[in-house]
Amino acid sequence: MYNVLIFGTGSIGGVYACILSNASANVTCVCRSNYEEARKNGFAVTSSVFGRLHARPVIVRSVQEATQSCSDGFHFIVLCTKATKETTSITLEALEHAVNSRSKFPTLVIIQNGLGVEESFHIAFPSTVIISGVAYLPTTQTSPAVFSHSETEHLHLGLYPSQCPSVSSQTHLHDFARLVRAGNATVTVHDDIQRERWKKIVANGALNPVCALTRCRDRELIDLVDVAGAMIMDVMQEIASVASSQGYEDVVTQAVVEAQYARCLARPYPGVEPSMMADARLSRPMEVYAIVGEMVSIARQARIDTPRLKMLYVLITGLNHALQTGREGTSQV
Ligand SMILES: *[C@@H]1O[C@H](CO)[C@@H](O)[C@H](O)[C@H]1NC(C)=O
Ligand SMILES: *[C@@H]1O[C@H](CO)[C@@H](O)[C@H](O)[C@H]1NC(C)=O
Ligand SMILES: *[C@@H]1O[C@H](CO)[C@@H](O)[C@H](O)[C@H]1NC(C)=O
């Protein structure tokens, strides 16, 4: 039996806790805001894809508590926390104990949005195998430890770094993929997972900051101002040019950009609320660097001109700062 520790039990972590429990893994979850409810009732998911899921994993308050209670150690530590600077440094500190206190190294599975999210973990734990994951799993937490999922589910997995993987790291990767599949979820294993990150960020990197800054959903904004659609498309084109500079021109093609834009238009009014917009509305920290900043930094190094992305990055960084220093609305960190 696999011992799995899930860190971050918001929407993605909560649903995968149920899926992995269903696959008969011994799941332990580190919970913060939904600790009491998760401990009392477990996690419940209502899904248009999976039907109803319910799981009662071991619920703890900290990684330290988890490692103390699990004498055999964890095979996989799954990070589903938000990719913000603050959360990453808290997570790194918390994992120190779990990773370094054992002779057997757990494998880290990082399921987060954006680009460059794996690097600080790789630097901190150079001998730990890192699996990088890109999830398509539209989920909201409707009340603490209760989730509503719809539309689609797909987890893309690959190793970080992807070059020259050892045989043992490939074994860990395929073991984890098999475990998720045993819980009836869909997994694709990739030689280069960064392709999937770029594919996802074409739309995400444009819609997240635009919707967060305006507090308008995508279709709502496109219908509101006649040049909004063209502007969003221009941002996607800039992202495509950055992807090309990194050797991913075959991933983020003109056809992909057009298809992503067509998806916005095809959505019923008022469209989707990207995660950054939801965070902005509630004055929560936004994943500014992972979703926009890293791309701007890559573009600068590659000498690719991205004026729109740069402007969005400055504005969204400013908004995030203002919200977090309590200058707008009330802070609910
Ligand atoms: C997994 O889910 C199915 C269907 O909901 C259920 O019948 C089964 O008992 C679950 N298995 C575990 C190990 O939780
Ligand atoms: C499951 O994990 C918990 C730690 O969270 C541990 O105490 C328990 O012994 C594990 N169960 C098995 C059967 O390994
Ligand atoms: C997994 O999915 C298959 C096909 O959709 C279904 O027949 C089976 O009952 C599911 N198993 C569990 C454990 O949910």
Side-chain angles (χ1 to χ4, degrees):
M1 194 197 320
Y2 286 114
N3 292 327
V4 179
L5 178 68
I6 300 184
F7 198 70
T9 49
S11 304
I12 302 279
V15 177
Y16 281 114
C18 289
I19 289 169
L20 294 171
S21 298
N22 201 277
S24 301
N26 183 26
V27 179
T28 302
C29 295
V30 180
C31 292
R32 294 236 165 94
S33 58
N34 53 12
Y35 175 87
E36 298 295 343
E37 292 82 1
R39 187 146 191 145
K40 210 160 99 201
N41 308 317
F43 291 118
V45 179
T46 310
S47 164
S48 61
V49 179
F50 299 112
R52 278 173 194 280
L53 296 173
H54 180 252
R56 302 207 62 121
V58 179
I59 305 293
V60 294
R61 279 199 192 274
S62 66
V63 174
Q64 192 139 359
E65 189 186 330
T67 45
Q68 276 158 6
S69 70
C70 195
S71 52
D72 291 347
F74 293 100
H75 299 91
F76 298 105
I77 298 182
V78 184
L79 292 188
C80 301
T81 48
K82 253 161 91 174
T84 62
K85 231 185 230 148
E86 299 75 16
T87 313
T88 300
S89 65
I90 293 168
T91 310
L92 280 168
E93 209 172 297
L95 290 180
E96 197 91 356
H97 186 73
V99 173
N100 291 336
S101 67
R102 324 224 150 246
S103 45
K104 184 184 83 190
F105 287 111
T107 295
L108 268 188
V109 183
I110 301 174
I111 305 178
Q112 288 181 328
N113 278 326
L115 294 174
V117 296
E118 310 92 343
E119 193 184 3
S120 47
F121 294 96
H122 181 56
I123 291 170
F125 310 114
S127 35
T128 296
V129 175
I130 294 180
I131 298 174
S132 174
V134 177
Y136 289 84
L137 194 79
T139 307
T140 48
Q141 189 165 192
T142 51
S143 63
V146 178
F147 305 91
S148 168
H149 164 252
S150 64
E151 212 182 300
T152 175
E153 64 88 19
H154 203 131
L155 181 61
H156 297 274
L157 297 173
L159 292 167
Y160 181 91
S162 61
Q163 297 87 4
C164 311
S166 68
V167 173
S168 79
S169 61
Q170 279 178 322
T171 306
H172 293 306
L173 171 61
H174 287 282
D175 285 348
F176 187 74
R178 216 172 298 125
L179 185 62
V180 179
R181 285 190 195 115
N184 251 10
T186 313
V187 180
T188 307
V189 171
H190 298 267
D191 290 337
D192 181 5
I193 186 65
Q194 300 307 321
R195 294 172 68 87
E196 295 306 311
R197 293 204 170 275
W198 280 106
K199 224 183 259 176
K200 189 168 182 185
I201 212 160
V202 179
N204 255 358
L207 294 177
N208 266 289
V210 167
C211 294
L213 285 161
T214 61
R215 319 291 206 282
C216 287
R217 287 167 181 250
D218 56 352
R219 262 301 301 282
E220 193 178 2
L221 191 66
I222 289 167
D223 287 10
L224 189 66
V225 196
D226 61 359
V227 292
M231 185 273 253
I232 289 168
M233 185 79 159
D234 285 343
V235 177
M236 290 186 187
Q237 303 281 12
E238 285 188 7
I239 297 173
S241 67
V242 185
S244 292
S245 77
Q246 303 303 296
Y248 295 109
E249 63 280 350
D250 61 324
V251 177
V252 189
T253 58
Q254 184 62 28
V256 168
V257 170
E258 278 164 20
Q260 289 289 1
Y261 182 66
R263 268 183 66 193
C264 301
L265 293 183
R267 285 184 189 116
Y269 188 87
V272 291
E273 179 181 72
S275 64
M276 230 184 224
M277 174 181 166
D279 289 338
R281 274 198 308 102
L282 300 169
S283 300
R284 292 189 306 224
M286 293 183 271
E287 297 175 303
V288 170
Y289 197 79
I291 295 180
V292 190
E294 175 76 7
M295 248 180 332
V296 171
S297 156
I298 293 170
R300 271 176 70 177
Q301 279 166 32
R303 296 176 194 278
I304 305 284
D305 199 24
T306 56
R308 294 171 190 84
L309 262 182
K310 243 187 323 200
M311 179 177 281
L312 286 175
Y313 178 47
V314 172
L315 297 180
I316 198 74
T317 303
L319 175 64
N320 195 39
H321 175 76
L323 292 175
Q324 293 319 301
T325 48
R327 256 178 276 160
E328 200 184 307
T330 46
S331 192
Q332 308 185 358
V333 185

